[in-house]
Amino acid sequence: MLMELLYQSASSRPDEVALVYRDERVTHAELVDRVERLAAGLAAEGIGPGDAVALLLPNDPTFVTSYYAISALGAIVVPVNPAFKQDELEFYFRQCAVRAVISDDRSAGVCERIVAAWDEPAQVIPTSAAHGQALTLDMLMATDPARLDRRSPDEPLVYMFSSGSTGRPKRVARTHGQLRGESDYYDWMGIGPEDKIFCTIPLFHTYGMGCCMVAATRTGATHVMLEDPNPFLLRRQRALELIETEGVTIYPGVPFNFRLMAEAPASADLSSVRLAFSAGTALPRPFFDAFLDKFGVPVRQLYGCTEAGTLTANLDEDPVATFESVGKPVDGVEVLIEDDEGQLVPPGTVGEIAVKSPGLTSGYSDMPDLNKQAFRDGFFLSGDLGQLDEDGRLTITGRKKLLIEVGGYKVDPIEVEDVVVAHPQVVEAVVVGVGTKVQGEEQIKAVVVPSDELDERELIGFCQQRLANFKVPQVVEFREEIPKSPLGKILRKYLI
Amino acid sequence: MSVSADIEQFILSELTQGRGITEIDPSENLLSKGIVDSHGVMELVGFLEERYGISVGDEDLSPENFESVASIEGFVERKRNGQT
């Protein structure tokens, strides 16, 4: 269904720019041509409806092309963080039963090692033949283009993974209809073909996928991608230049990046930016003030989740007075605040945020028991805490779930614990977040009860092999026992 | 200790604590592998300025100068020689 939007843009404004990346400008017509060619190439390799295809790519036109080619075939996109280690990649690949992996050159080798051990190996398709692979994305792109059929709204389009309160991340399937539903929010926000959306956030994440890529597709706006956006400190000057030279009008970002831009010695004319959004974590007031003082642009908070995409946005006429709020629900979204018994609470009272939206998933894949707890009467119990004011503006006050915020990522301590306790010399372990000197940032600390003498570096190396770098504990504390309540509940507050 | 070894030692002891990294090849890409993030760059800049008496301006904060230990070494040498 998103493909129809690409066709509309290619028909109505074929020569206008859809994507900007480095010196490359891809028009709407060119983007459709690329998508059709790659889809035809993938189809020739046997990729079809229901097949899961992982994307291990940075933010670039190839990601966008691949995403739409895969989904237009009725196959399912599985965007994966390229920073993941082999064990994590294997988890995601197996969870989704991927049929193929489209990978950048850097990750192709590890992908091949993973799938080689499978009974039915998946196909690894690198972007180029850097390692002498027989089949590359470039080759598939040489296929003759073919018009793509409309997909059914109920067909799954993408598998994402959501952090949870227990165990490994949970698979979230969202359909063509749900992504199309989310895409309408951006049109409702007033984003249009004359807009230019600046992307510095990963497209493999729901925020980047929705607020940048899908938003551009739905509205016909130009999607301007910052190349190699991490670490952002080394790219902030380039980011400022791009915003100014391209005349960016919409900038979805994260708090830390807004802070870095405000602290940059050089300035830039950001007067073209009419909507700057911040999401992912709370926007500290000093960051908001610094960015506003320097550039005259108020950063508005936005709220969403992996399960539903964007949910609320602060489009208030007075973004300064309302800066703490993530805004009102976007068109079609309902937000309720409930107490622990599931009863609605009055405005001004904190409770759990429950949401219902056209973009909301039907549930976590293959987890019926969890779905009974997390979904009720069409609403999703987010695990976030917040309150509504008298005018319906939402403010996030905390999290019901235990997640550690590390460098912009939300790390599930249970996932890290599972890895730590898998070490043969670990009897018990608890993972907590501990504060650092940087506001809003935490470190991961593992409190471990060893069976006998255990070297910290060996334990860290064990984790390093199995977890992405940002999930590896930075602090290890050995104890003889973990503090618990009389009922056996772990007393995490004594471990921080 | 060479500049290269000095830089490697700083990164290992200050920026990759608890991550099981015991050595870094001079040509290894620190950025794409997530070995050094924005916070790490800030700390690295502080170290370079103090250790080598150079001034790192915002215009110097580029992937080309911080991509690898070898890149950083080259950057430091150019700074010390007044070439940048």
Side-chain angles (χ1 to χ4, degrees):
Chain A
M1 294 179 76
L2 294 180
M3 194 65 210
E4 294 155 42
L5 299 171
L6 291 183
Y7 279 132
Q8 284 173 19
S9 291
S11 173
S12 61
R13 53 186 76 86
D15 299 323
E16 291 179 24
V17 177
L19 303 175
V20 174
Y21 179 76
R22 296 182 189 267
D23 295 330
E24 189 179 7
R25 290 176 186 279
V26 182
T27 66
H28 290 286
E30 286 169 344
L31 178 57
V32 164
D33 181 73
R34 292 183 187 193
V35 171
E36 286 183 336
R37 287 179 181 278
L38 181 54
L42 289 171
E45 292 298 316
I47 301 297
D51 288 335
V53 180
L55 288 187
L56 217 60
L57 296 171
N59 283 12
D60 66 11
T62 303
F63 185 104
V64 179
T65 302
S66 302
Y67 185 100
Y68 286 122
I70 294 165
S71 57
L73 289 173
I76 305 165
V77 186
V78 185
V80 184
N81 187 343
F84 283 166
K85 297 296 173 60
Q86 182 166 331
D87 278 6
E88 292 165 302
L89 290 175
E90 177 145 22
F91 169 78
Y92 285 100
F93 290 175
R94 285 193 181 277
Q95 276 284 304
C96 301
V98 299
R99 171 83 169 66
V101 181
I102 296 177
S103 165
D104 62 9
D105 297 335
R106 189 168 59 89
S107 302
V110 68
C111 292
E112 285 171 347
R113 282 198 296 278
I114 291 170
V115 304
W118 292 7
D119 292 335
E120 291 187 29
Q123 201 163 19
V124 177
I125 307 169
T127 47
S128 67
H131 300 288
Q133 287 87 352
L135 181 67
T136 69
L137 207 68
D138 290 345
M139 294 176 190
L140 295 180
M141 294 290 295
T143 312
D144 287 337
R147 182 93 184 175
L148 291 155
D149 294 330
R150 181 189 178 110
R151 306 312 311 181
S152 160
D154 295 329
E155 284 184 277
L157 186 156
V158 64
Y159 287 153
M160 307 290 282
F161 281 82
S162 175
S163 301
S165 58
T166 58
R168 290 276 202 168
K170 303 176 298 295
R171 193 176 85 207
V172 173
R174 293 178 73 201
T175 65
H176 282 259
Q178 287 156 0
L179 267 292
R180 183 68 169 82
E182 178 182 354
S183 76
D184 286 340
Y185 307 156
Y186 306 110
D187 177 64
W188 173 83
M189 284 185 196
I191 299 173
E194 302 306 315
D195 280 305
K196 296 187 179 180
I197 302 174
F198 189 46
C199 184
T200 61
I201 44 186
L203 292 176
F204 62 75
H205 193 280
T206 302
Y207 183 26
M209 181 183 75
C211 288
C212 296
M213 189 177 72
V214 171
T217 298
R218 172 63 177 89
T219 63
T222 301
H223 181 181
V224 182
M225 284 179 278
L226 175 66
E227 66 274 12
D228 304 321
N230 293 310
F232 190 76
L233 180 60
L234 300 182
R235 281 297 183 192
R236 69 177 173 187
Q237 195 55 41
R238 170 70 173 152
L240 289 170
E241 288 167 4
L242 267 179
I243 293 174
E244 184 174 337
T245 57
E246 293 293 335
V248 163
T249 57
I250 313 291
Y251 181 21
V254 294
F256 186 58
N257 289 1
F258 288 116
R259 171 198 155 189
L260 288 180
M261 293 167 84
E263 291 176 351
S267 190
D269 179 2
L270 302 194
S271 59
S272 62
V273 179
R274 61 185 187 82
L275 286 176
F277 291 117
S278 175
T281 189
L283 176 68
R285 184 71 197 230
F287 297 5
F288 173 87
D289 288 341
F291 198 85
L292 179 63
D293 287 346
K294 181 160 187 173
F295 301 112
V297 176
V299 178
R300 302 163 178 273
Q301 298 205 65
L302 178 149
Y303 171 62
C305 61
T306 303
E307 291 81 355
T310 298
L311 292 165
T312 73
N314 186 335
L315 300 172
D316 204 280
E317 286 183 3
D318 190 347
V320 177
T322 61
F323 110 93
E324 276 188 342
S325 169
V326 293
K328 297 181 181 179
V330 295
D331 189 46
V333 172
E334 294 178 64
V335 173
L336 302 175
I337 308 293
E338 299 183 351
D339 62 19
D340 288 340
E341 276 75 48
Q343 301 301 308
L344 295 182
V345 301
T349 303
V350 173
E352 183 171 5
I353 300 169
V355 299
K356 187 176 184 180
S357 86
L360 179 64
T361 181
S362 302
Y364 299 114
S365 301
D366 305 320
M367 305 188 90
D369 291 337
L370 180 60
N371 287 335
K372 284 180 188 169
Q373 297 173 34
F375 296 86
R376 192 171 63 231
D377 300 324
F379 280 83
F380 168 61
L381 299 174
S382 67
D384 293 319
L385 301 176
Q387 61 184 13
L388 291 168
D389 68 11
E390 296 287 347
D391 295 318
R393 291 187 201 90
L394 176 65
T395 300
I396 312 292
T397 58
R399 291 197 65 86
K400 208 175 175 183
K401 292 181 283 191
L402 300 168
L403 294 174
I404 304 170
E405 303 211 359
V406 180
Y409 293 104
K410 291 180 170 52
V411 178
D412 180 0
I414 307 300
E415 181 185 359
V416 181
E417 282 174 16
D418 283 350
V419 171
V420 174
V421 297
H423 189 286
Q425 285 169 264
V426 172
V427 174
E428 190 177 5
V430 178
V431 171
V432 293
V434 293
T436 71
K437 56 187 176 183
V438 179
Q439 186 175 6
E441 281 290 306
E442 295 178 281
Q443 281 186 322
I444 301 173
K445 174 180 174 181
V447 181
V448 177
V449 177
S451 58
D452 49 36
E453 202 67 31
L454 173 58
D455 182 71
E456 176 182 336
R457 283 180 298 179
E458 193 217 319
L459 178 61
I460 296 301
F462 181 84
C463 295
Q464 175 74 5
Q465 289 173 3
R466 292 160 176 78
L467 293 168
N469 288 343
F470 65 88
K471 299 180 188 176
V472 175
Q474 291 113 323
V475 180
V476 176
E477 179 183 328
F478 292 108
R479 292 198 184 194
E480 292 185 359
E481 62 179 9
I482 304 292
K484 294 173 184 166
S485 74
L487 296 180
K489 182 179 177 183
I490 294 172
L491 300 173
R492 290 177 181 268
K493 61 183 177 180
Y494 296 124
L495 303 176
I496 296 172
Chain B
M1 187 183 283
S2 69
V3 172
S4 176
D6 210 12
I7 294 167
E8 180 192 1
Q9 185 57 39
F10 175 81
I11 294 173
L12 288 174
S13 63
E14 302 296 327
L15 305 185
T16 60
Q17 284 175 343
R19 286 161 60 181
I21 300 173
T22 56
E23 60 179 357
I24 301 173
D25 187 274
S27 63
E28 188 169 354
N29 193 314
L30 304 171
L31 311 180
S32 64
K33 291 195 173 185
I35 295 174
V36 175
D37 59 12
S38 286
H39 293 305
V41 171
M42 289 180 189
E43 295 196 41
L44 193 49
V45 166
F47 164 74
L48 296 176
E49 289 185 328
E50 185 178 342
R51 176 67 125 231
Y52 301 107
I54 61 174
S55 176
V56 180
D58 202 55
E59 66 281 3
D60 298 318
L61 295 179
S62 69
E64 292 72 29
N65 285 339
F66 288 86
E67 193 172 59
S68 65
V69 170
S71 302
I72 301 168
E73 180 183 30
F75 167 68
V76 169
E77 294 301 339
R78 289 194 298 278
K79 274 288 188 180
R80 289 164 95 177
N81 294 335
Q83 294 170 357
T84 182

